[in-house]
Amino acid sequence: MQSAQKDHRQDVGEALTSPVQGHLIDGELRAGADFYEVVNPATGRAFALCPSATQQDLDDAAAAARREAPAWRARSAEDRRALIADFADRMVAAAADIAPLLTQEHGKPLEQAKFELTVAAHHMKQLSAIPIGDEVLRDDEAKGRVLMRYHPLGVVGAIAPWNFPIALAMHKVAQALYTGNTLILKPSPFTPLATLAVAALARDVFPAGVINVIAGGNEFGAWMTSHPGIDKITFTGSTETGKKIMASASATLKRITLELGGNDAALVLDDADLDVVVPGLARSAFYNSGQICMATKRVYVADSLHDAFVERLAKAVEQHRLGDGMQANSTLGPLQNVVQFDKVKTYLAGAVARDGAQVKTGGQVSQDGGYFITPTIITGLDDDAPLVREEQFGPVLPVLRFTDVEDAVARINDSRFGLGASVWSRDVERALSVAERLNAGTVWVNRHGVNESEVPFGGMKDSGYGREHGQMGLRSYMELQVISLPPRA
């Protein structure tokens, strides 16, 4: 995404302005000299300007975070937890004001935008309640004691995605700050405005320099990953970008956590209860227009249930009301950006053109400027179809048949992704035995996509590196120090 010059407002008209005060750097809201356009995906047109940060802005933020790191680290976990809770409460109080901005830049329905803000605050409180104290590995009179001490890494650089701009950013904020680190947060250039609005709330809670929030284009992310003043990068986004981050961060041996793409499969066994399966998958596959890393993106259904499942799922999906998120009756918004819109259109067109493919519902693509695709279910595809093999990240779902469970497990595992999966059966123990054989970081039984702060989350294979959430995720923001003491005299 390219930055515009200072006189850009003259090019696009005076109506296009910035609704935010600027970046949060060292406790001050810094207005930008340059701006770039932010597009409303419901119209396909720019609706606001966002300040674009410079390398000097990043240097200033890194210096402030480094300066404040010792004092922040010296605070107790309880003290840091209390400030995070205060910040979370202010987010909830401001949710009704910030949500319209989130809806305009993202496209999601207004009520879902409000929910994202409030649930983000809830998870911040949960994450900062998880114990992170030191541990005693051994206490033996003959061998001595071994203590495991956990220290903050220093300065964390967090790069957030556009699909849940607030929730996924604030998860990183809570984990970094609670574990005693200071932070530089970069929102996606597609969805920066609501995050900057939230940052203005943080200014009145945390000491200057503890949290810095800076918006910029893709080049800004590259500056962060190579910056010598940043000790860890936590990133949520595409696998391709994650690999670039890993390469860039290696020069300074930064610690990294990468929560990357997924092609989550749902496996519906022949004894599954469709009264449970259909609403569960209708939500997990199409909520947020399918733009969720752990959304259901392909479904394997036992042959005996296939036709009934597809018929019922199509009816459930047809209940969605596709439209501008600012319209009160909308339940499903557009794709967030034109790049993703074009990508999903390509997957859809390729799938429809394949022999045997059948569109059971949906398949319509907006032609009037907005990035809308109706919720779509397609059957009759082979496993080698790009819609099946790759992560579409949109409201287009392939449903495939199987007759042998072992064959279905092998087909699901034949993927470069391994983020999540689900198994559906009336027999939970049977489902568990199947779940254990799926190569995915999380496998749900009779549900899909449950997000819990105390449970570690991350992927296998190309779906990520490390874990977020839970004590394991919090520890990834800390450095382990082993202290070995001699036997007691």
Side-chain angles (χ1 to χ4, degrees):
M1 181 166 292
Q2 300 297 315
S3 297
Q5 296 305 309
K6 190 173 183 180
D7 62 356
H8 181 66
R9 299 185 192 203
Q10 308 306 318
D11 298 331
V12 297
E14 289 297 331
L16 204 58
T17 60
S18 179
V20 295
Q21 298 178 60
H23 318 287
L24 177 61
I25 300 175
D26 199 10
E28 298 295 332
L29 295 176
R30 181 180 296 185
D34 293 343
F35 297 85
Y36 63 86
E37 296 177 352
V38 180
V39 173
N40 182 339
T43 64
R45 297 188 299 273
F47 78 99
L49 295 176
C50 178
S52 183
T54 65
Q55 284 187 295
Q56 186 61 55
D57 290 329
L58 176 60
D59 289 342
D60 291 347
R66 182 68 61 191
R67 182 202 70 230
E68 191 61 28
W72 183 249
R73 168 179 173 164
R75 289 175 179 251
S76 67
E78 291 74 18
D79 188 15
R80 297 193 296 263
R81 178 186 301 127
L83 291 177
I84 292 169
D86 183 8
F87 179 36
D89 288 339
R90 293 174 187 238
M91 282 178 52
V92 173
D97 295 326
I98 297 175
L101 192 59
L102 178 56
T103 290
Q104 289 176 84
E105 67 179 348
H106 180 277
K108 65 181 61 185
L110 185 59
E111 289 304 313
Q112 293 177 24
K114 293 177 184 176
F115 178 72
E116 179 175 343
L117 285 152
T118 56
V119 80
H122 171 72
H123 281 295
M124 290 174 73
K125 290 183 176 181
Q126 286 192 320
L127 286 164
S128 58
I130 296 172
I132 56 171
D134 300 330
E135 301 175 56
V136 177
L137 180 64
R138 186 180 70 206
D139 190 356
D140 185 272
E141 292 186 3
K143 293 183 177 181
R145 286 185 295 158
V146 176
L147 309 179
M148 294 196 299
R149 296 279 170 86
Y150 294 91
H151 301 290
L153 288 168
V155 178
V156 171
I159 303 176
W162 47 257
N163 60 326
F164 285 98
I166 300 299
L168 295 179
M170 292 305 114
H171 291 183
K172 298 177 187 300
V173 169
Q175 291 175 101
L177 299 189
Y178 174 52
T179 51
N181 301 281
T182 53
L183 176 80
I184 302 169
L185 168 66
K186 186 192 93 69
S188 166
F190 291 114
T191 53
L193 299 175
T195 306
L196 290 177
V198 167
L201 304 175
R203 180 184 60 163
D204 297 327
V205 177
F206 299 101
V210 168
I211 176 172
N212 306 270
V213 184
I214 312 177
N218 292 327
E219 72 282 354
F220 192 86
W223 298 341
M224 286 181 64
T225 58
S226 61
H227 199 287
I230 295 176
D231 302 296
K232 174 188 170 73
I233 293 291
T234 170
F235 169 77
T236 299
S238 72
T239 295
E240 290 69 25
T241 301
K243 291 177 179 178
K244 293 177 182 177
I245 287 173
M246 178 176 279
S248 178
S250 67
T252 50
L253 286 180
K254 286 181 175 56
R255 304 302 187 258
I256 56 173
T257 301
L258 305 174
E259 198 250 280
L260 307 178
N263 190 16
D264 288 19
L267 181 55
V268 182
L269 302 182
D270 57 6
D271 65 340
D273 184 351
L274 294 187
D275 288 339
V276 175
V277 179
V278 169
L281 293 184
R283 177 175 175 79
S284 68
F286 294 98
Y287 187 80
N288 208 42
S289 295
Q291 299 169 119
I292 306 176
C293 61
M294 58 183 172
T296 302
K297 298 185 177 75
R298 49 189 173 131
V299 184
Y300 292 79
V301 184
D303 186 70
S304 60
L305 292 180
H306 178 275
D307 292 349
F309 169 80
V310 170
E311 180 181 359
R312 292 180 59 172
L313 183 65
K315 290 180 180 179
V317 169
E318 288 164 1
Q319 301 306 306
H320 281 297
R321 297 184 297 275
L322 188 66
D324 187 326
M326 295 299 290
Q327 296 174 350
N329 63 342
S330 297
T331 62
L332 206 65
L335 277 296
Q336 197 283 316
N337 58 79
V338 69
V339 176
Q340 188 60 30
F341 180 55
D342 289 343
K343 177 181 176 182
V344 178
K345 284 196 300 182
T346 299
Y347 282 135
L348 175 58
V352 171
R354 295 178 76 93
D355 290 342
Q358 296 182 354
V359 176
K360 295 298 184 178
T361 190
Q364 289 80 45
V365 176
S366 174
Q367 305 294 331
D368 61 0
Y371 308 145
F372 293 98
I373 297 178
T374 56
T376 304
I377 298 171
I378 299 181
T379 63
L381 297 177
D382 297 323
D383 289 316
D384 62 349
L387 181 64
V388 178
R389 293 204 64 80
E390 299 300 325
E391 181 188 33
Q392 71 274 39
F393 218 65
V396 182
L397 182 69
V399 179
L400 303 97
R401 296 176 183 267
F402 74 87
T403 55
D404 179 78
V405 174
E406 295 307 314
D407 178 61
V409 169
R411 291 163 63 190
I412 290 171
N413 286 340
D414 181 23
S415 171
R416 67 188 180 99
F417 297 106
L419 187 60
S422 58
V423 181
W424 303 75
S425 171
R426 295 176 190 268
D427 186 338
V428 172
E429 292 305 313
R430 180 191 181 199
L432 174 61
S433 70
V434 174
E436 292 170 342
R437 302 199 296 278
L438 295 177
N439 297 332
T442 300
V443 183
W444 295 273
V445 171
N446 290 337
R447 52 187 185 166
H448 191 116
V450 178
N451 184 15
E452 299 173 284
S453 297
E454 68 273 22
V455 178
F457 182 76
M460 299 179 179
K461 299 185 282 188
D462 277 12
S463 286
Y465 186 91
R467 295 292 185 271
E468 296 269 22
H469 302 171
Q471 190 174 73
M472 180 181 291
L474 289 166
R475 295 290 194 218
S476 74
Y477 288 79
M478 308 178 83
E479 193 72 271
L480 170 64
Q481 179 188 47
V482 173
I483 298 179
S484 182
L485 302 171
R488 294 185 176 88

